[in-house]
Amino acid sequence: MGDMTCGGWRAAPANLDDVRKAALMNFVLGFLSGRSAERGDDLLAAVEISSIKAWMDDYCAANPLGSVVTGAFELEKVLIARRERAR
């Protein structure tokens, strides 16, 4: 998978056509999808992929020494809270 740090996220070109960024993004999407399936819901149903990428871009900019996995966990919390507020 390569560099799973925010440094690796930020070093990969922003374009999702780049294989490095696409691989990291697919990890985040798969992670969120798997966690959703575990709970029996679909957090990604009403979320644009571009929004997820932008959130991770912001997270990694604020946490350059952090990990993509931690960012995905934090994003999951945000998506759950957003869904709960919408109910």
Side-chain angles (χ1 to χ4, degrees):
M1 187 60 208
D3 190 353
M4 290 290 289
T5 66
C6 279
W9 180 277
R10 295 180 71 208
N15 186 342
L16 288 177
D17 289 335
D18 180 83
V19 71
R20 291 169 291 169
K21 183 64 84 172
L24 290 168
M25 188 66 188
N26 281 325
F27 168 81
V28 171
L29 293 172
F31 174 87
L32 293 171
S33 186
R35 298 278 295 170
S36 291
E38 183 177 53
R39 280 189 313 280
D41 64 14
D42 187 0
L43 284 178
L44 298 178
V47 180
E48 295 288 328
I49 290 174
S50 59
S51 297
I52 291 171
K53 181 189 168 297
W55 194 94
M56 287 297 299
D57 287 344
D58 291 345
Y59 176 84
C60 284
N63 300 280
L65 299 177
S67 76
V68 172
V69 174
T70 302
F73 271 115
E74 293 300 317
L75 177 53
E76 177 188 33
K77 292 178 194 175
V78 168
L79 293 174
I80 290 170
R82 185 180 301 164
R83 182 191 60 205
E84 294 302 317
R85 283 192 306 271
R87 288 185 178 176

